[in-house]
Amino acid sequence: MPAPIIPLDANKDDHDDLVFLNEPPAAPLAVAPRSVWRVMIIDDDEDVHSTTTFALGNLEMQHRPLEFIHAYSAGQARELLEHECDIAVILLDVVMEQDDAGLHLVRYIRETLKMTDVRIILRTGQPGYAPEIDAIRDFDINDYKTKSELTRIKLFTTVTAAIRSYEQIRSISNSRRGLSRIVHASTELMALHGVQNFSAGVLAQIADLLGIDADGVLCLHDLHDLQDDSARELLVSACTGSFASLPHSALCRLQNPRVTAAIEHSLTQRRNVYAHDYASLYFAGKTSRDAAAYLVLPRPLTAIDESLLEVFCSNVAVGLDNVELVSHLHNAAFYDQLSKLPNRTRLVEILEATMASPARGDATVALVDLDHFAETNDALGHQFGDTLLVAVAGRLQTQLGPHLTVARLGGDIFCVLGDSSQVNPANILALFQAPFYIDGQGVQLSATLGLVRLGEHVGTSADALKDADIALKRAKSQQRAGHFYFSRSMGIEIRERVRMMHALRTAFSQNELFVVYQPQIDLTTRRPVGAEALLRWQTPDGKFISPDRFIPIAEYSGIIIDLGEWVLRTACRELVLLREQGHRNFVMSVNVSQVQFRHPLFLEMLRAALNDTQAPPEFIELEITESMAMEEPDLLIKMLWQIKQTGVSIAIDDFGTGFSSLSYLQRLKIDRLKIDRAFVTEITGSARGSSIAEMVIQLGRNLGLGVIAEGVEDERQAQILQALGCPMAQGFLFARPMTARALEAWLNNEALQGAA
């Protein structure tokens, strides 16, 4: 059950998220029936409804409680609004059924229902879906907030301001002149960009509202230290009339104590102050961003004038916040917040403009990837790493040339776009020859580049970035601190890989993949003792895709995780079936890729496969490659120990092709070595092949390991291996890989021949 909200404390700052205690909510106080402010919450998230209700439910605004009306979709809201009346405020989610459902509903409220008095506050959990300035202006949106910034105090303040606006608009609704002028002034102001332009517009609209000449000054109140009022400073944001020559700086330079005192008085009292020859107007903003205006009056104000100004000032306060918010959203959408460089979104726009201009022919786009930055970040801390990224951004900007675009795409990857005479490997890599000094510490960095010449590029700006990324990956795969230019052949290769990846996913889902089994033979008795499970792919037109082609794609794309589990389960079920047919000492061998082996749930998957199929683990063997075994031997030792606890055995495949450390080999606790087919092929043709095979066999004997040779294709190879002491083998000499049904028939036939 939700617990009560911590009460508002006016002395705290605005960093008070909606917090709930672990105790039951306090019962609302009983009140006599009286007028209420009706607030409609329109949001598809039930938590938003409950949180908002708990935040505001027991509070009063303008001496009235709140009454909530709930709609959980734009469609439901339309139905309710057709018969609901006297709604003061609508809290509306921008993104509901569709990304722009909220804005369509606003249009319906304003244009179809003609509800002009109700105040609308837009909220969104996705800053990327911010309404355009035109939408805010055209539909008289009272406020716009991201959900993440709506703490309880800010929510209370926002709704209070909206209710105050609603109350005052209703109270003067008979004055159509005043209402139309306020709406006109607000829409005109919302079209202005930047705080200074907005401030100048405020002075102009106030004068128009009152029918007088604009003569005044508007100041923003910056409070640097919330605990010390003496630290506040008034900054001139706009000035007009007799104040037009005032510099946009601290108000203390204004040699008019009366004006200064009037503005200070409004800020202290947090209200408008009216005199016979001037008005000092207060605009409530964020805690450290209040504003006030001093306006020279040629005549005293009427009651209607004052009412109009109260409403207008309430709207202006919201507008000031919105101007800053829109600027913030624009920067967040198009610029990297750390380096202040253009981000990927903005870079794509710049790229599109470049590719549509004559400059395209001589332009190059280069991705710059900092080598081993993650290790630097981990070793020296993220704050140090951020400072280092800013230093790299600064060097790229200042030393490559003034007419280039430098962007940060995220992480430690930057992009440079410009004329090929400046954007080239020599110029960019030279920037990393000198160390970067951070807090007095020198850091030497290197970078790897992927480049695309736009004059040779065919495609969109997004395609150009993809191609640069392809070139970068190729450069990183070949060498660090190097570079690679994208070529058309690289694009063909990548597209072929992607095509095969999608085809492989489809083939797996449509059962085009299957498992075959190659028998493993005891060389002394020439009887089958096991089989290796192998994955095969046959397309609908009957063609076979080589495992050498599709297995790397499966590993690269991650499909191998699901494929590997399916192969293991299929092999386990086949083993159980063979045992039921009398082949009780038959061992099933299954290959495990490095990607599978590194997956955090591999052990869980292995145990589940054994448990679900009831395959005896002592007759299951997992094959790993020698390169896997030697890459991180300490980690492998721990992993193999856990695997061995399940009861399965371990073989090292392709043994002899790597550079195994014998000390690690002893610690791995493996069960069998598999001689690579390359050495078996050479066994009859070179002394070297025979020597390596003999060495592996002798090593296995000394370490107490089983040994099996693969790729045995003729009797001569089999006899030499047997003479060298190799106990087992597999290959075309004995049997080709076969389907499960063919294996069963083959084994049964072998059993009959043995009995005879």
Side-chain angles (χ1 to χ4, degrees), residues 576-596:
V576 171
L577 184 60
L578 290 175
R579 289 174 62 83
E580 291 174 354
Q581 296 178 8
H583 307 289
R584 307 292 295 180
N585 294 316
F586 198 82
V587 175
M588 187 64 72
S589 190
V590 182
N591 291 282
V592 178
S593 80
Q594 187 168 5
V595 176
Q596 285 177 273

Side-chain angles (χ1 to χ4, degrees), residues 372-383:
H372 308 296
F373 180 79
E375 291 91 328
T376 302
N377 212 27
D378 293 340
L380 301 178
H382 293 287
Q383 184 174 354

Side-chain angles (χ1 to χ4, degrees), residues 175-195:
S175 175
R176 308 309 301 175
R177 176 191 63 84
L179 185 59
S180 64
R181 286 189 175 182
I182 288 174
V183 172
H184 172 76
S186 297
T187 55
E188 290 294 317
L189 287 174
M190 288 308 299
L192 300 175
H193 297 277
V195 174

Side-chain angles (χ1 to χ4, degrees), residues 443-463:
V443 180
Q444 187 67 59
L445 289 179
S446 62
T448 303
L449 312 182
L451 305 99
V452 174
R453 296 182 178 92
L454 295 184
E456 303 173 1
H457 174 72
V458 177
T460 66
S461 57
D463 292 334

Side-chain angles (χ1 to χ4, degrees), residues 413-430:
I413 299 181
F414 294 85
C415 181
V416 184
L417 168 65
D419 191 274
S420 300
S421 63
Q422 296 170 293
V423 183
N424 57 63
N427 286 352
I428 297 175
L429 294 178

Side-chain angles (χ1 to χ4, degrees), residues 497-517:
R497 182 188 300 175
V498 171
R499 186 201 64 77
M500 180 168 285
M501 181 178 68
H502 290 301
L504 181 58
R505 290 186 186 277
T506 302
F508 185 35
S509 65
Q510 296 181 357
N511 301 316
E512 293 177 18
L513 298 169
F514 59 98
V515 178
V516 295
Y517 305 88

Side-chain angles (χ1 to χ4, degrees), residues 175-461:
S175 175
R176 308 309 301 175
R177 176 191 63 84
L179 185 59
S180 64
R181 286 189 175 182
I182 288 174
V183 172
H184 172 76
S186 297
T187 55
E188 290 294 317
L189 287 174
M190 288 308 299
L192 300 175
H193 297 277
V195 174
Q196 289 191 351
N197 288 339
F198 185 88
S199 300
V202 168
L203 294 177
Q205 293 299 332
I206 290 175
D208 184 64
L209 191 65
L210 299 176
I212 63 176
D213 293 333
D215 186 2
V217 59
L218 189 145
C219 303
L220 298 178
H221 183 196
D222 273 0
L223 196 58
H224 302 302
D225 183 357
L226 297 178
Q227 305 302 320
D228 181 8
D229 284 346
S230 64
R232 66 188 180 182
E233 187 176 32
L234 290 173
L235 303 177
V236 174
S237 182
C239 46
T240 186
S242 61
F243 301 90
S245 61
L246 192 67
H248 287 196
S249 57
L251 184 62
C252 60
R253 296 184 181 179
L254 176 65
Q255 301 301 316
N256 192 326
R258 186 179 186 223
V259 174
T260 305
I263 290 178
E264 289 281 8
H265 184 60
S266 280
L267 289 169
T268 302
Q269 297 294 316
R270 301 178 67 84
R271 65 181 179 86
N272 294 349
V273 176
Y274 305 109
H276 72 282
D277 60 345
Y278 76 88
S280 181
L281 307 177
Y282 172 71
F283 309 107
K286 297 176 181 177
T287 303
S288 60
R289 203 65 167 165
D290 287 356
Y294 181 91
L295 194 70
V296 176
L297 299 177
R299 59 172 174 79
L301 299 179
T302 67
I304 287 293
D305 288 334
E306 293 183 7
S307 296
L308 291 175
L309 286 176
E310 295 292 335
V311 176
F312 181 75
C313 291
S314 177
N315 284 348
V316 167
V318 171
L320 279 170
D321 280 357
N322 280 339
V323 167
E324 293 184 339
L325 174 63
V326 169
S327 297
H328 172 73
L329 290 174
H330 180 271
N331 287 334
F334 294 103
Y335 292 89
D336 172 55
Q337 296 305 294
L338 176 65
S339 65
K340 309 307 178 187
L341 295 175
N343 61 13
R344 179 181 290 271
T345 303
R346 178 62 182 140
L347 177 64
V348 169
E349 291 184 346
I350 297 171
L351 256 177
E352 287 176 351
T354 301
M355 295 176 68
S357 72
R360 171 178 182 163
D362 297 320
T364 292
V365 58
L367 294 186
V368 183
D369 187 359
L370 305 183
D371 297 332
H372 308 296
F373 180 79
E375 291 91 328
T376 302
N377 212 27
D378 293 340
L380 301 178
H382 293 287
Q383 184 174 354
F384 186 96
D386 287 348
T387 306
L388 184 57
L389 288 173
V390 172
V392 172
R395 189 176 290 184
L396 289 172
Q397 273 188 303
T398 59
Q399 297 191 23
L400 281 178
H403 304 298
L404 303 181
T405 295
V406 179
R408 182 178 176 226
L409 304 190
D412 59 352
I413 299 181
F414 294 85
C415 181
V416 184
L417 168 65
D419 191 274
S420 300
S421 63
Q422 296 170 293
V423 183
N424 57 63
N427 286 352
I428 297 175
L429 294 178
L431 298 181
F432 294 90
Q433 293 179 359
F436 294 84
Y437 288 94
I438 309 298
D439 298 331
Q441 181 175 348
V443 180
Q444 187 67 59
L445 289 179
S446 62
T448 303
L449 312 182
L451 305 99
V452 174
R453 296 182 178 92
L454 295 184
E456 303 173 1
H457 174 72
V458 177
T460 66
S461 57

Side-chain angles (χ1 to χ4, degrees), residues 75-259:
Q76 185 182 10
R78 286 174 182 246
E79 296 176 4
L80 289 173
L81 288 168
E82 287 181 357
H83 57 80
E84 292 288 349
C85 59
D86 297 326
I87 296 174
V89 178
I90 294 176
L91 296 169
L92 174 58
D93 187 17
V94 176
V95 181
M96 289 183 286
E97 299 96 318
Q98 292 87 31
D99 293 343
D100 56 354
L103 293 180
H104 282 301
L105 181 58
V106 172
R107 179 188 292 273
Y108 177 76
I109 292 170
R110 295 300 193 208
E111 296 181 353
T112 303
L113 298 181
K114 306 297 182 183
M115 297 177 67
T116 58
D117 292 347
V118 63
R119 301 293 85 203
I120 298 175
I121 299 171
L122 293 184
R123 303 192 289 184
T124 183
Q126 305 179 48
Y129 292 111
E132 297 291 338
I133 289 292
D134 290 346
I136 296 176
R137 178 184 63 198
D138 296 341
F139 300 132
D140 187 25
I141 294 170
N142 201 64
D143 204 355
Y144 172 76
K145 298 288 185 183
T146 57
K147 293 179 182 178
S148 61
E149 70 172 325
L150 272 180
T151 60
R152 186 173 185 244
I153 286 180
K154 287 184 178 178
L155 179 62
F156 175 81
T157 303
T158 300
V159 174
T160 300
I163 286 176
R164 186 180 294 117
S165 295
Y166 171 78
E167 179 185 37
Q168 292 167 342
I169 287 174
R170 290 295 297 269
S171 70
I172 63 170
S173 60
N174 292 331
S175 175
R176 308 309 301 175
R177 176 191 63 84
L179 185 59
S180 64
R181 286 189 175 182
I182 288 174
V183 172
H184 172 76
S186 297
T187 55
E188 290 294 317
L189 287 174
M190 288 308 299
L192 300 175
H193 297 277
V195 174
Q196 289 191 351
N197 288 339
F198 185 88
S199 300
V202 168
L203 294 177
Q205 293 299 332
I206 290 175
D208 184 64
L209 191 65
L210 299 176
I212 63 176
D213 293 333
D215 186 2
V217 59
L218 189 145
C219 303
L220 298 178
H221 183 196
D222 273 0
L223 196 58
H224 302 302
D225 183 357
L226 297 178
Q227 305 302 320
D228 181 8
D229 284 346
S230 64
R232 66 188 180 182
E233 187 176 32
L234 290 173
L235 303 177
V236 174
S237 182
C239 46
T240 186
S242 61
F243 301 90
S245 61
L246 192 67
H248 287 196
S249 57
L251 184 62
C252 60
R253 296 184 181 179
L254 176 65
Q255 301 301 316
N256 192 326
R258 186 179 186 223
V259 174

